Amino acid sequence: AKGSRGPVDLHWYDGGMLPSSIPELDEDDLTIPSTGTMYVGDKGKILDGRLIPESRMRSYMGSEYTGPAARQMMNMSSITKEMMNTMAVNMTQAALPPGFDKFIEACRGGSKNTPGSFQSAEPLSTMINLANVAVRAGTRVVFDPVTRQISNKPELNKLLVREYRKGWEL
C-alpha cells in the first residue's frame, strides 16, 4: 500500500504467523493474541479493529470511548435475555459503542441503516479479498476502485472472479 512501512518480521506458530513483537502492546501490558488482524500504517497500528495502544483509541474516540472492561461485558457470548436486560438498564448510553443504539433499533424492526449495513461492509470485503490475492500471488497489488481491476499486475485480475459450475452461476 502507499506509504507502507516495509516488510514486517513474522514468525510461524501452530496454525498461522505472528509478528515477533508489537511494542504498542507493551504500553498496555498485553501479549500478542494468537489470532487476529493487524494493519500497520504511517500513523499507527490497528489490531482487531482498535487503535493500539489503548491510549490512542481513547484519544481518538473521545467521549464515545468504551474501555476494555465494558467491551468484555458486551462480548460475552452466553448472555441470557434476563442478563442482557439487566445490563441494558445498568449501562449508560456513553458506555455503549458508537452506533449500538442503531443496531438495537434495527434488531427491533426499525431502520436498517446501521454501521453494519451491506454498504459499509463492501469496502471491507474488497480489502480482505485483495489481501488474499496479494498473499496468494506473493506480490503487492494496486487496485483501481473505479475500474475495479488490479492495475499493476493485470494477470492477477483472474483471481478477482470465480468460474461457477454449470447451474450455480450468479
Side-chain angles (χ1 to χ4, degrees), residues 8-22 25 31-38 47-48:
V8 175
D9 180 29
L10 301 170
H11 67 272
W12 287 96
Y13 76 104
D14 185 26
M17 56 187 169
L18 293 170
S20 55
S21 70
I22 305 174
L25 292 180
T31 59
I32 298 174
S34 60
T35 62
T37 303
M38 183 170 66
L47 179 61
D48 291 336

Side-chain angles (χ1 to χ4, degrees), residues 106-167:
C107 290
R108 292 179 174 158
S111 170
K112 303 298 184 215
N113 185 18
T114 68
S117 68
F118 287 110
Q119 289 80 14
S120 63
E122 190 272 336
L124 179 61
S125 296
T126 299
M127 181 184 61
I128 291 169
N129 290 331
L130 287 171
N132 287 330
V133 167
V135 168
R136 186 172 174 190
T139 187
R140 178 178 178 258
V141 297
V142 176
F143 183 72
D144 182 345
V146 175
T147 64
R148 307 209 39 89
Q149 297 288 306
I150 296 172
S151 58
N152 68 322
K153 303 269 185 181
E155 66 274 14
L156 297 180
N157 285 310
K158 67 182 180 201
L159 298 176
L160 298 177
V161 295
R162 167 184 276 174
E163 287 187 34
Y164 291 92
R165 294 182 309 203
K166 185 173 173 135

